[in-house]
């Protein structure tokens, strides 16, 4: 079992550039979550999908952030344009049930640094 | 503000001692979960306790839930240096906005000294 796969593991970019983070959930899981973790704000839920449909995107900071899930085995989180305050660790997680009812399996995270 | 808040923020103990971490929350939940995060890694699920349960065990872990006080505790018995990590509580339920989700606290950083 490969677990949740995220890429890249580290990303360093300059302000204004587009950043795309990728996630492959555990096969058979029907819910996928994107989180952001910083020292100041802790772990924040950005968006989650159930059966490839966005259910709650209230945590997406602003229009610069967008997420897609074109199929059950792939999701992307895009930041365009990126800003220094977007620097954080971004986690993808998946679960076999509705959000909040089942345990979630986390990927290793993408550490994003925006200069 | 956070739905779940852990206490203490940091805890340092000696190997072999027990570690107790607490979590308080504000609104009704359908379950509460504890996760562990080693430095530089993703979170790992430890245990889930449902709102109609009062206590649950898993190996050296013991979790209690008091819905009347809106609080939970995680006890790690006979701690080991390998238990050094951050521990997060997460509450599952329907929160602001009307969607069901899992909301994480800011965590307790546990250090177990050999």
């Amino acid at each position: 079992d490969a677990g949740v796969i995220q890429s890249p593991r580290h990303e360093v970019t300059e302000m204004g550039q587009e950043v795309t983070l990728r996630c492959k959930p555990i096969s058979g899981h029907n819910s996928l979550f994107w989180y952001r973790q910083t020292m100041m704000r802790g772990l924040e839920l950005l968006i989650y999908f159930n059966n490839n449909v966005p259910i709650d995107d209230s945590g997406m900071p602003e229009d610069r952030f967008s997420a897609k899930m074109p199929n059950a085995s792939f999701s992307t989180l895009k930041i365009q344009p990126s800003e220094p305050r977007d620097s954080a660790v971004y986690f993808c997680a998946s679960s076999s049930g509705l959000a909040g009812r089942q345990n979630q399996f986390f990927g290793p995270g993408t550490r994003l640094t925006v200069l | 503000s956070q739905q779940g808040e852990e206490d203490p923020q940091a805890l340092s103990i000696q190997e072999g001692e027990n570690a107790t971490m607490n979590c308080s929350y504000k609104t009704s939940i359908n379950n509460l979960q504890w996760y562990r995060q080693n430095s530089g890694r993703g979170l790992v699920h430890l245990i889930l306790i449902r709102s109609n349960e009062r206590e649950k065990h898993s190996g050296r872990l013991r979790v209690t839930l008091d819905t009347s006080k809106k609080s939970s505790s995680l006890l790690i018995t006979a701690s080991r240096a390998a238990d050094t990590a951050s521990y997060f509580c997460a509450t599952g339920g329907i929160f602001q906005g009307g969607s069901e989700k899992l909301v994480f606290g800011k965590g307790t950083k546990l250090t177990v000294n050999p």
Side-chain angles (χ1 to χ4, degrees), chain A residues 2 10 20 26 30 35 52 57 60 94 100 104 106-107:
Chain A
H10 301 272
T20 300
I26 292 173
N30 60 357
Y35 291 91
N52 310 339
D57 65 355
M60 295 288 262
S94 69
Q104 297 180 11
F106 281 73

Side-chain angles (χ1 to χ4, degrees), chain B residues 16-30:
Chain B
E17 293 180 341
N18 295 341
T20 299
M21 289 158 269
N22 302 297
C23 173
S24 59
Y25 57 92
K26 295 182 171 62
T27 64
S28 295
I29 61 173
N30 59 48

Side-chain angles (χ1 to χ4, degrees), chain B residues 5 11 16 27 42 61 86 89 100 102 105:
Chain B
E5 293 190 4
L11 179 62
T27 64
L61 306 180
S86 290
C89 75
E100 194 163 356
L102 198 60

Side-chain angles (χ1 to χ4, degrees), chain A residues 9 35 37 39-43 45 48 55-56 58 91 98-108 111, chain B residues 2 30-31 33 35 37 40-45 48 50 88 92-93 96 99-102 104-106:
Chain A
R9 294 293 308 277
Y35 291 91
Q37 186 177 41
M39 289 292 292
M40 289 296 295
R41 299 175 67 90
L43 193 68
L45 176 66
Y48 83 84
I55 302 300
D56 186 336
S58 60
F91 289 102
L98 290 173
R101 295 198 185 186
Q102 303 290 339
N103 54 299
Q104 297 180 11
F105 293 79
F106 281 73
R111 183 173 294 275
Chain B
Q2 292 282 2
N30 59 48
N31 70 82
Q33 304 179 30
Y35 288 76
Q37 183 180 34
R41 302 285 190 93
L43 280 74
V44 175
H45 179 260
L48 181 155
R50 302 199 185 279
F88 295 85
Q96 189 177 13
S99 70
E100 194 163 356
K101 61 179 74 172
L102 198 60
F104 286 81
K106 287 197 172 182

Side-chain angles (χ1 to χ4, degrees), chain B residues 11 13 16-23 34 46-47 55-64 72-79 83 87 110:
Chain B
L11 179 62
I13 60 174
E17 293 180 341
N18 295 341
T20 299
M21 289 158 269
N22 302 297
C23 173
W34 285 91
L46 295 176
I47 198 163
E55 188 170 315
K56 210 161 182 181
H57 297 255
S58 177
R60 293 184 297 114
L61 306 180
R62 173 177 168 254
V63 169
T64 62
S72 173
S73 67
L74 170 67
L75 169 68
I76 304 174
T77 59
S79 64
D83 294 327
Y87 292 82
L110 173 66

